[in-house]
Amino acid sequence: MSTHAKIYVAGHRGMVGSAIVRALQQQGQTNIVARTHAELDLTDQAAVRNFFSTEKPDQVYLAAAKVGGIHANSTYPAEFIYQNIMMEANIIDAAFRNGVQKLLFLGSSCIYPKLASQPMREDALLTGKLESTNEPYAIAKIAGIKLCESYNRQYGASHGVDYRSVMPTNLYGPGDNYHPENSHVIPALIRRFYEAKVNGAPRVTIWGSGTPRREFLYVDDMAAASVHVMQLPKAIYEQHTQAMLSHINVGFGEDITIHELAEAVRQTVAYQGDITFDTSKPDGTPLKLMDTHRLNDLGWSPKVGLQEGLQHAYQDFLHHHLCA
Ligand SMILES: NC(=O)c1ccc[n+]([C@@H]2O[C@H](COP(=O)([O-])OP(=O)(O)OC[C@H]3O[C@@H](n4cnc5c(N)ncnc54)[C@H](OP(=O)(O)O)[C@@H]3O)[C@@H](O)[C@H]2O)c1
């Protein structure tokens, strides 16, 4: 891969976008372009077209999105579907119009049906009803996959368009959101165990039974997988995907119970108190795991285990997020 390619990372200040920038820099890429949300609103079609025609990037990583938890998704469904569809459509079309042949779109495991068989394979897409709380967001993400596939089908042969999609599992690591009410499970646990330690609280109580199993991937592994998929030779990529089933799952490949996760976070934070479970609270789905055979067959597997990843995440929390 040339280190002179001009690479646009959309969402470069987000958790995933910033990890992709780190991965590209480690690879020696020196020509990365980026704009903050304030500099370029990606829902603004004219502004996005203007940016692409001025900058003329060679490649695009599409890691910008409006993201949020269950509460935000249920309260602002219009914003989630509208903004995400607009960002994807604006970027993908402007990329095509300006001769970009290589683009990587980032989706999420929420594209799969609520009752998909586990572990979830890529071909589970569009085989059943989605989880209703984030259906608008998931529909936007499915539209992103289909935008990439449709541009490939219409303009692949004529213009060399080669747009790919990756669907990550739950991610954690530097740059995560540690907001007390609106964060994912790992940052929420880090904050709660840290606060319990500082306040000398005898126990931390966790909602549910602790038995549901979940999968977690360290964000720099996700970035490495993204760069790997982007840089695969076209012939290899096409051997392992289909024109209308082209997305690739990115996961750790193994899951753990919430109880095991809580214990790992407790050790990372060095909290001496107990963990209790409030079984009067709901558990959520018992199992959610990605099938990662497609990615493994393409020559990639994760490197950062949970204990190491949690240490990095905790250090990031201590350095950057305590005042948030
Ligand atoms: N985090 C996870 O566990 C996880 C799991 C699976 C998939 N993913 C996927 O990975 C992608 C990135 O997620 P993330 O966790 O990195 O999210 P994030 O930290 O919130 O980053 C998203 C970035 O997009 C930017 N953005 C949002 N709306 C914009 C707009 N209209 N114009 C310009 N920039 C805009 C945000 O800027 P502002 O903050 O300034 O608005 C932010 O920098 C998403 O597609 C998400 O679905 C994440």
Side-chain angles (χ1 to χ4, degrees), residues 24-303:
L24 291 170
Q25 285 170 339
Q26 272 167 21
Q27 209 185 42
Q29 300 292 346
T30 51
N31 199 358
I32 298 170
V33 282
R35 293 289 185 280
T36 63
H37 190 160
E39 290 164 345
L40 175 62
D41 178 356
L42 294 167
T43 64
D44 179 339
Q45 185 187 46
V48 173
R49 284 189 177 177
N50 183 44
F51 166 75
F52 272 85
S53 63
T54 309
E55 285 291 349
K56 292 275 181 202
D58 300 306
Q59 299 180 9
V60 175
Y61 286 84
L62 207 178
K66 180 172 176 64
V67 305
I70 296 171
H71 179 69
N73 270 275
S74 336
T75 316
Y76 310 109
E79 291 177 25
F80 275 85
I81 192 162
Y82 172 76
Q83 292 183 22
N84 283 304
I85 285 183
M86 288 301 285
M87 281 189 246
E88 296 157 9
N90 287 342
I91 291 178
I92 291 168
D93 187 67
F96 166 65
R97 284 167 184 263
N98 288 282
V100 175
Q101 293 185 326
K102 298 197 70 73
L103 177 144
L104 189 78
F105 169 67
L106 274 75
S108 150
S109 61
C110 70
I111 58 163
Y112 292 118
K114 182 180 172 141
L115 300 177
S117 60
Q118 300 288 331
M120 297 179 291
R121 285 171 19 164
E122 286 85 354
D123 61 9
L125 184 65
L126 295 173
T127 59
K129 287 199 170 175
L130 299 164
E131 164 67 51
S132 59
T133 38
N134 57 12
E135 185 194 71
Y137 179 79
I139 293 278
K141 289 293 183 189
I142 295 170
I145 299 173
K146 296 300 164 188
L147 275 161
C148 291
E149 291 177 353
S150 303
Y151 277 67
N152 290 343
R153 289 166 62 214
Q154 189 169 342
Y155 305 121
S158 58
H159 293 74
V161 164
D162 180 8
Y163 295 172
R164 305 176 182 182
S165 306
V166 282
M167 302 297 126
T169 184
N170 304 305
L171 305 171
Y172 69 99
D176 214 337
N177 165 19
Y178 290 91
H179 191 277
E181 281 108 47
N182 190 22
S183 54
H184 291 135
V185 54
I186 287 185
L189 287 175
I190 288 176
R191 176 180 277 275
R192 291 195 56 208
F193 279 110
Y194 172 80
E195 287 174 355
K197 177 173 139 175
V198 169
N199 298 330
R203 72 186 57 84
V204 167
T205 302
I206 292 167
W207 275 29
S209 64
T211 57
R213 303 187 72 87
R214 292 291 181 274
E215 179 186 20
F216 301 96
L217 184 72
Y218 186 62
V219 70
D220 284 38
D221 265 343
M222 170 57 199
S226 301
V227 172
H228 181 84
V229 168
M230 177 73 124
Q231 296 179 353
L232 284 170
K234 194 172 179 184
I236 305 266
Y237 178 77
E238 284 176 353
Q239 264 169 27
H240 289 81
T241 57
Q242 291 143 271
M244 294 181 72
L245 188 64
S246 69
H247 60 286
I248 299 175
N249 289 344
V250 184
F252 189 70
E254 287 169 29
D255 54 6
I256 57 167
T257 67
I258 295 296
H259 191 160
E260 288 164 338
L261 174 68
E263 185 54 41
V265 175
R266 189 179 74 84
Q267 284 176 17
T268 302
V269 175
Y271 170 64
Q272 306 292 336
D274 294 331
I275 302 173
T276 55
F277 291 90
D278 180 353
T279 51
S280 70
K281 295 291 193 297
D283 258 346
T285 186
L287 192 63
K288 211 175 167 212
L289 178 65
M290 295 282 224
D291 181 307
T292 53
H293 282 94
R294 199 175 235 192
L295 182 61
N296 301 148
D297 291 347
L298 284 163
W300 189 88
S301 49
K303 292 179 183 52

